Amino acid sequence: MANVNITVFEAAVSTPLGDPLQYLTAVIDGANSSALTGSDKKRRTCRMYAESDCWVKWGSSPTATGATDAVALGADNPEYFNIEAGHVVTAITRT
């Protein structure tokens, strides 16, 4: 199965320095999957790298259902997002 690999940084300025706070993985299996992105309420810069095309969504209790409410991630194309720590990331297959 493919994954979304998530690297969490304190802030955007720490990203090029390579000083991550956490490494997380959300499985893309056609159903919702999740990974926590921290425990406090600060915003974190998260690098998401998808192994296959998928939809991702984050929040306190998200459910990714596709194009109407989630962000498209392309395979092998890392993206950066600012996500509140403590939120959950979900991923589903994009076809």
Side-chain angles (χ1 to χ4, degrees):
M1 294 199 168
N3 297 316
V4 174
N5 299 300
I6 305 163
T7 307
V8 182
F9 297 92
E10 178 73 32
V13 71
S14 63
T15 303
L17 301 175
D19 190 20
L21 296 174
Q22 290 179 286
Y23 296 99
L24 306 164
T25 302
V27 177
I28 306 168
D29 62 0
N32 290 312
S33 303
S34 63
L36 295 178
T37 59
S39 58
D40 58 15
K41 294 298 178 185
K42 294 180 181 178
R43 295 192 73 78
R44 303 286 191 221
T45 298
C46 297
R47 176 187 183 267
M48 294 190 194
Y49 175 85
E51 296 173 353
S52 67
D53 293 344
C54 65
W55 297 103
V56 294
K57 186 175 179 180
W58 52 86
S60 58
S61 182
T63 301
T65 58
T68 60
D69 71 343
V71 176
L73 280 184
D76 301 321
N77 187 23
E79 297 279 354
Y80 291 84
F81 302 98
N82 287 318
I83 300 174
E84 187 174 313
H87 277 186
V88 174
V89 177
T90 63
I92 60 170
T93 303
R94 181 167 57 109
T95 55

